[in-house]
């Protein structure tokens, strides 16, 4: 290993904790929903970001906007665990993913208790592929029905629900570049600009 490797391997452990947001992103064996408040933690406007590991990927962008718009951001994420009420097989544990099912229930209970203004759902779209066997396939009818049930369930808490990239498959996309505005009331909104559903390497920007 080169002595001048950048970044150095000695930083790997710290970088891993940063990526996991010090336990906010639960690993495959962990359950529970720790307090993971970011942004302006005393704000009366709360946005909950919920999903599998993609929730952690979106967190830096939401953190930036939360500070700018003076929101309280709650991140609730668990690796390989989409926020859907479907039985799931872990592609890492190679068995029924009971930890995921327990975690989902804990998340819903917390959202019902805390009643955030907005719930943002995000999840990987490759479940059921050869690389990620899970017992269901992203965009199949069971997946779509579950996403509908989950969205309705969360709306019953009084929250607005935003699904990042959900509800459409690639062959249903009729545009190249999209823009999405979510009104939070009181003059606040989330705006996603530069989202290209046909380009997996595209980088949506929150502005």
């Amino acid at each position: 290993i080169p002595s001048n490797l950048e970044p150095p391997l000695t930083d790997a452990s710290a970088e891993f904790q940063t990526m996991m947001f010090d336990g906010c992103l639960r690993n495959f064996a962990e359950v529970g929903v720790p307090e993971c408040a970011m942004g302006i933690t005393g704000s009366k406007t709360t946005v909950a970001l919920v999903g599998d590991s993609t929730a952690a990927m979106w967190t830096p962008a939401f953190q930036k906007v939360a500070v700018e718009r003076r929101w309280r951001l709650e991140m609730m994420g668990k690796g390989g665990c989409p926020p859907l009420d479907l039985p799931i097989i872990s592609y890492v544990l190679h068995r029924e993913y009971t930890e995921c099912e327990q975690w989902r229930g804990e998340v819903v209970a917390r959202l019902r208790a805390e009643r955030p203004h907005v719930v943002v759902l995000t999840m990987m779209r490759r479940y059921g592929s050869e690389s990620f066997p899970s017992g269901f396939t992203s965009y199949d009818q069971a997946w779509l029905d579950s996403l509908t049930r989950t969205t309705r369930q969360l709306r019953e808490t009084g929250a607005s629900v935003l699904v990042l990239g959900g509800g459409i498959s690639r062959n249903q996309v009729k545009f190249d570049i999209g823009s999405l505005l979510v009104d939070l009331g009181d003059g606040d909104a989330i705006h996603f600009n530069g989202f290209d559903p046909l380009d997996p390497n595209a980088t949506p920007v929150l502005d």
Side-chain angles (χ1 to χ4, degrees):
I1 299 175
S3 60
N4 61 344
L5 185 67
E6 287 292 339
L9 290 179
T10 53
D11 292 352
S13 178
E15 288 188 6
F16 179 78
Q17 289 303 317
T18 298
M19 181 182 71
M20 301 295 286
F21 291 93
D22 293 323
C24 292
L25 175 63
R26 311 305 279 165
N27 65 33
F28 288 88
E30 292 175 324
V31 293
V33 188
E35 183 78 14
C36 293
M38 309 173 193
I40 308 302
T41 57
S43 174
K44 295 181 179 180
T45 300
T46 299
V47 175
L49 177 59
V50 181
D52 53 21
S53 60
T54 60
M57 298 175 191
W58 276 102
T59 295
F62 274 89
Q63 280 181 302
K64 181 177 183 294
V65 177
V67 171
E68 292 174 350
R69 300 297 178 89
R70 304 195 63 78
W71 301 335
R72 175 186 175 94
L73 174 66
E74 287 275 359
M75 195 271 274
M76 306 176 191
K78 180 170 173 62
C81 183
L84 301 172
D85 61 351
L86 293 172
I88 183 171
I89 303 298
S90 170
Y91 54 83
V92 170
L93 303 175
H94 306 291
R95 61 166 171 78
E96 183 181 358
Y97 198 2
T98 55
E99 295 87 348
C100 176
E101 295 172 11
Q102 179 179 337
W103 178 82
R104 290 168 178 164
E106 293 167 341
V107 167
V108 171
R110 181 163 169 183
L111 293 174
R112 284 174 172 164
E114 296 190 357
R115 303 177 68 86
H117 294 77
V118 176
V119 177
V120 181
L121 298 179
T122 175
M123 68 198 84
M124 178 179 70
R125 295 304 196 271
R126 292 179 289 165
Y127 289 104
S129 66
E130 183 177 351
S131 300
F132 300 98
S134 57
F136 60 88
T137 301
S138 297
Y139 297 113
D140 67 11
Q141 195 58 53
W143 186 93
L144 292 170
D145 290 344
S146 179
L147 181 59
T148 299
R149 289 192 301 271
T150 299
T151 301
R152 288 175 176 169
Q153 181 183 45
L154 295 176
R155 283 177 176 165
E156 289 173 358
T157 69
S160 298
V161 180
L162 168 64
V163 181
L164 296 183
I168 56 174
S169 61
R170 290 179 182 273
N171 62 4
Q172 293 175 301
V173 175
K174 304 301 182 184
F175 54 87
D176 293 324
I177 301 296
S179 180
L180 177 62
L181 182 69
V182 180
D183 185 6
L184 301 181
D186 297 325
D188 280 337
I190 301 175
H191 183 225
F192 297 89
N193 190 38
F195 176 69
D196 185 348
L198 298 177
D199 180 6
N201 296 315
T203 305
V205 176
L206 283 162
D207 60 17

